[in-house]
Amino acid sequence: MQVRDLFPDRRWVRLVALGFGLLLIAAVAVGGGTYAHLDGNIRSDDVPARALHADRAVRPKSMAPGAQNILLLGSDLEAVRDSQRSDVTILLHLSADRRRAALVSVPRDLMVQIPRCRKPDGGTSRAQFAQFNWAFQFGGAACAIRTFEELTGVRVDHHLIIDFTGFRKVVDAMGGVQVDVPQKVKVPGDKLVLRPGKQHLNGHQALILVRGRSGVGDGSDLQRIERQKVFLRDLLAGARSGGVLEDTTRLFPVLNALTRSLTADPGLDSLRELYGLVNSAAGIPQNRTSIVTIPSVEDPDRWGRYKPVKRQAKALFKALREDKPLPTRLYNAYDPANDEL
């Protein structure tokens, strides 16, 4: 089974770029005061920038000048009061000529080597072998970036964090989203039950859909990743077809919720810089967009955890480092005839 076959509609990256770009253009159109307000909502992530600069000697070098690698992190601080983990991690790779794009999802439960990291409070965390999403808890965005770089050898140029409280508010500000729910969703600790089929979801329901794992399908993180992709497609399609982009009275609450949920590194912490990013991605042809997940298989020594399918993961990481088209076939299921663990 090919990873990209799980989500055959490759318009997803294009919809992300066009949808966000239209939102930013509209923000300018509604007036300077509104633009300044929205621009001021975006939080600048200065601490990770300093930590990454201090660790510059051990970080990988960029092998493809002009290519851009942006790590997108979904934070679950809302659910974990005493800590913070990255429930969603996606690398957005834009080729140097801006003719190709790739979105690469990292399973949160992928077992990886987390390096010794500088912590936001000034201390340091110890190096350890643990699941990927713990890196954010140990040392914030800088540690998640360092962990991703050590796993892949890919230099991360920028990062964006969106918190799940903001995600819920964006959906509610849009008036909800029409979604084709692929399977029954009933997670422990919540009375909500979502039945399969097309239905209108509010922010809380949407959050359960994209975050639910235990009690949903096979309970795997890989299956949850695919639900997230489908939901984002429906979210953007709803924004474009529902008239939100053309109605400034409806648009402002969406923009306000979106920008208030964003934390960005100093190179992406303004509407102008974000618009420059999405504008450069908007022209990438549909047939040159790849959407994949790091090839992974369940770790037989650790229940519910994953490990990379070595040969295929190495081929994927090499293509990203060298800014080349991704391998044509990637598997999430181990096939001894095609690969080795």
Side-chain angles (χ1 to χ4, degrees):
M1 178 176 61
Q2 289 184 335
V3 175
R4 63 186 73 206
D5 286 342
L6 293 171
F7 193 79
D9 186 355
R10 299 188 195 175
R11 292 176 298 169
W12 191 54
V13 174
R14 191 171 177 83
L15 281 171
V16 172
L18 289 175
F20 195 33
L22 286 171
L23 290 176
L24 294 177
I25 292 171
V28 177
V30 296
T34 299
Y35 182 94
H37 172 84
L38 297 174
D39 194 61
N41 280 344
I42 303 170
R43 295 180 294 274
S44 184
D45 216 9
D46 296 319
V47 174
R50 291 194 294 270
L52 291 170
H53 179 73
D55 291 334
R56 61 190 180 280
V58 295
R59 297 181 64 200
K61 306 298 181 185
S62 176
M63 297 176 62
Q68 287 280 293
N69 293 303
I70 300 97
L71 202 63
L72 312 175
L73 300 163
S75 163
D76 67 351
L77 181 62
E78 171 192 42
V80 186
R81 294 184 179 181
D82 297 327
S83 62
Q84 189 172 14
R85 298 176 186 171
S86 52
D87 241 17
V88 178
T89 302
I90 300 173
L91 179 76
L92 169 60
H93 173 82
L94 302 176
S95 67
D97 60 10
R98 297 301 188 266
R99 297 187 63 189
R100 286 180 290 104
L103 281 168
V104 182
S105 293
V106 184
R108 52 158 278 170
D109 295 332
L110 187 68
M111 297 301 293
V112 297
Q113 189 62 47
I114 298 176
R116 183 171 178 267
C117 293
R118 301 171 192 271
K119 299 166 67 173
D121 63 6
T124 57
S125 64
R126 63 181 179 87
Q128 57 192 290
F129 188 68
Q131 62 191 64
F132 181 86
N133 72 324
W134 284 15
F136 200 105
Q137 178 185 354
F138 295 155
C143 196
I145 290 169
R146 288 282 317 285
T147 301
F148 179 85
E149 290 181 338
E150 293 216 356
L151 172 67
T152 65
V154 175
R155 173 70 174 235
V156 173
D157 301 298
H158 297 289
H159 71 275
L160 284 169
I161 304 170
I162 182 167
D163 67 75
F164 284 116
T165 300
F167 169 88
R168 187 184 67 229
K169 290 179 178 178
V170 168
V171 174
D172 284 336
M174 288 181 58
V177 179
Q178 188 76 12
V179 179
D180 191 358
V181 178
Q183 60 198 143
K184 178 182 176 181
V185 177
K186 174 66 176 78
V187 297
D190 198 292
K191 296 180 180 180
L192 175 69
V193 177
L194 298 178
R195 303 292 179 184
K198 292 185 178 180
Q199 53 202 283
H200 199 78
L201 303 185
N202 62 27
H204 174 69
Q205 293 168 326
L207 191 58
I208 293 297
L209 175 67
V210 300
R211 296 195 64 217
R213 188 172 53 154
S214 300
V216 184
D218 62 9
S220 72
D221 190 42
L222 299 180
Q223 194 175 77
R224 178 173 61 173
I225 287 172
E226 299 311 313
R227 289 201 310 275
Q228 292 166 352
K229 295 174 182 177
V230 171
F231 176 81
L232 184 53
R233 178 199 63 192
D234 291 344
L235 173 71
L236 292 167
R240 299 183 72 191
S241 64
V244 174
L245 301 177
E246 292 79 24
D247 185 345
T248 56
T249 60
R250 295 179 61 195
L251 178 62
F252 177 76
V254 176
L255 284 169
N256 195 43
L258 177 62
T259 52
R260 289 185 67 179
S261 71
L262 286 178
T263 301
D265 70 73
L268 284 181
D269 60 353
S270 71
L271 288 179
R272 177 183 57 80
E273 290 164 330
L274 286 172
Y275 177 69
L277 172 66
V278 297
N279 189 50
S280 69
I284 295 174
Q286 175 181 329
N287 62 355
R288 289 177 175 268
T289 296
S290 299
I291 303 171
V292 301
T293 302
I294 292 177
S296 309
V297 65
E298 189 165 353
D299 188 334
D301 299 324
R302 299 172 179 85
W303 184 86
R305 303 295 182 262
Y306 300 98
K307 61 180 179 179
V309 179
K310 288 184 179 178
R311 184 181 299 171
Q312 294 185 8
K314 287 180 179 178
L316 171 63
F317 302 154
K318 184 175 186 291
L320 290 169
R321 290 194 301 270
E322 297 178 358
D323 193 25
K324 294 180 178 179
L326 302 191
T328 55
R329 294 181 67 83
L330 294 173
Y331 291 80
N332 267 336
Y334 171 53
D335 182 348
N338 291 285
D339 217 317
E340 61 179 355
L341 291 178

